[in-house]
Amino acid sequence: MESQKQSGPEPPIKVSTINCIDLSNPDIGESVALLKQACLDCGFFYVVNHGISQEFMDEVFAQSKKFFYLPLNEKLKVLRNEKHRGYTPMFDEFLDPDNQVHVGDYKEGYYIGVDVPENDPESEKPFNGPNVWPADGVLPGWRQTMEKFHHEALEVGKAVSRIIALALDLEVDFFDKPEVLGKPIATLRLLHYEDQFSDPAKGIYGAGAHSDFGFITLLATDDVMGLQICKDKDAKPQIWEYVTPIKGAFIVNLGDMLERWSNCPPCTEFWGMVKTDILLHTLWNLTMTVWLNVCLLAKQKKVLPSFPKSGTQHI
């Protein structure tokens, strides 16, 4: 959607250059090298030719818009529950409470996870449970579209995890283990940002500055340039750079969990990948995010076998 116009001359924008990994490339060594460099640079990279058709990606965005264009009272019927399934209204979240002094994030969202029936003992675990869906009469076919996208995006995440494994001197299928990504906490979030500009001076953001807490994030956006990254949180002043949207691509962000697993810097050369200063905030657009976290056992304080233990256990 179009952003509102600002009065007066617009300040020049700074655009970040990040690597692009082609998942159809038969030269896996090239993909590993690009990922390693991305880790050193900022922890962000594009993924293209990931196997999800552009036609289907367009359909997911179209269906997402249909939900957010519903009247608020209809959306509130599927309000997010304690299992983090369902709708989150505008201003419901504060990603950067120190700086968001007036209101929460200027965005609304919808959480979809791995569907676990209520009568399954696994549903008693955190973040496990049945999904919440709009009635078929309200949005026919919406559930089927989102379930299909959740499955396909999860497969993309697993493909990326295999490149990460090789970059960390692990076996290519290391993250496919049952105790790691065998039963992942994979959350699809549909996000709709209000058609305004952030105003940091007033503590107003589409999404406040933060680092992602999971393993990896896959981000698909429309053509609005809103995502910004900061490569050095300690810089004075901080330098924020836009990430240009690429149609059909995912923007991948390596999260805090990987920092924990690599036993934190400086024990690894992949400084950029494991730093906690990988921050972002956005302007306004329509976004689909898949957070790929691992199963609960793998979230314990252990490190990958290719890194020194330093008093911790290996996964």
Side-chain angles (χ1 to χ4, degrees):
M1 61 197 308
E2 293 184 358
S3 299
Q4 294 179 349
K5 300 291 186 181
Q6 285 182 316
S7 60
E10 296 184 358
I13 63 173
K14 187 174 181 63
V15 178
S16 183
T17 301
I18 61 176
N19 284 347
C20 184
I21 296 177
D22 184 344
L23 290 187
S24 69
N25 185 359
D27 186 351
I28 190 65
E30 180 180 359
S31 297
V32 170
L34 287 170
L35 190 143
K36 285 183 176 181
Q37 188 58 50
C39 295
L40 293 169
D41 290 342
C42 61
F44 286 83
F45 53 92
Y46 298 107
V47 164
V48 297
N49 294 324
H50 41 65
I52 302 179
S53 71
Q54 186 60 56
E55 180 182 13
F56 184 53
M57 293 280 280
D58 291 342
E59 175 63 17
V60 175
F61 272 98
Q63 292 290 345
S64 180
K65 290 180 180 179
K66 286 182 180 180
F67 173 80
F68 290 119
Y69 287 163
L70 290 173
L72 179 60
N73 67 323
E74 195 67 46
K75 291 183 285 190
L76 291 177
K77 293 178 181 179
V78 287
L79 196 63
R80 181 175 60 171
N81 59 27
E82 71 281 356
K83 295 292 186 177
H84 294 277
R85 305 291 201 275
Y87 173 66
T88 55
M90 197 75 69
F91 313 127
D92 188 60
E93 298 178 328
F94 287 76
L95 287 178
D96 186 10
D98 290 339
N99 291 306
Q100 291 176 265
V101 294
H102 297 296
V103 295
D105 296 342
Y106 267 83
K107 71 177 189 297
E108 54 182 344
Y110 199 94
Y111 286 77
I112 300 167
V114 176
D115 196 68
V116 181
E118 285 185 347
N119 60 358
D120 189 326
E122 293 290 312
S123 68
E124 299 300 319
K125 296 179 180 179
F127 301 102
N128 283 7
N131 284 310
V132 177
W133 301 106
D136 284 338
V138 176
L139 291 175
W142 197 85
R143 171 178 178 172
Q144 291 75 15
T145 298
M146 296 308 164
E147 286 182 327
K148 180 181 177 183
F149 181 71
H150 184 281
H151 171 76
E152 294 192 10
L154 178 55
E155 292 305 308
V156 176
K158 289 182 177 181
V160 173
S161 77
R162 296 179 188 118
I163 301 175
I164 294 173
L166 293 175
L168 296 172
D169 296 323
L170 301 167
E171 295 294 326
V172 66
D173 60 351
F174 178 84
F175 292 112
D176 292 326
K177 293 179 180 180
E179 66 270 23
V180 185
L181 292 181
K183 293 183 178 180
I185 302 171
T187 303
L188 165 63
R189 284 193 72 194
L190 310 176
L191 296 174
H192 171 230
Y193 293 89
E194 189 57 74
D195 55 345
Q196 302 180 42
F197 283 100
S198 296
D199 190 344
K202 297 180 180 179
I204 298 174
Y205 297 92
H210 65 283
S211 61
D212 284 357
F213 57 80
F215 176 45
I216 60 175
T217 298
L218 307 179
L219 181 69
T221 78
D222 59 14
D223 58 359
V224 177
M225 186 154 53
L227 177 70
Q228 293 178 303
I229 63 175
C230 175
K231 298 178 181 179
D232 183 1
K233 72 171 184 178
D234 296 320
K236 301 295 183 183
Q238 290 180 340
I239 298 174
W240 291 92
E241 300 176 339
Y242 283 94
V243 177
T244 304
I246 296 179
K247 189 173 181 63
F250 283 107
I251 301 168
V252 182
N253 175 19
L254 302 171
D256 298 341
M257 186 176 291
L258 206 48
E259 175 187 4
R260 171 62 262 172
W261 279 356
S262 58
N263 212 18
C264 305
C267 70
T268 168
E269 65 179 282
F270 304 117
W271 178 260
M273 179 168 61
V274 298
K275 286 175 70 175
T276 56
D277 64 25
I278 300 172
L279 305 175
L280 62 94
H281 61 86
T282 66
L283 292 177
W284 319 105
N285 57 20
L286 183 70
T287 308
M288 296 180 293
T289 305
V290 175
W291 294 330
L292 184 57
N293 295 309
V294 297
C295 64
L296 295 175
L297 287 177
K299 292 177 72 176
Q300 298 170 358
K301 292 186 177 180
K302 299 182 179 181
V303 298
L304 300 169
S306 54
F307 291 90
K309 287 188 178 182
S310 297
T312 60
Q313 291 180 308
H314 280 157
I315 294 173

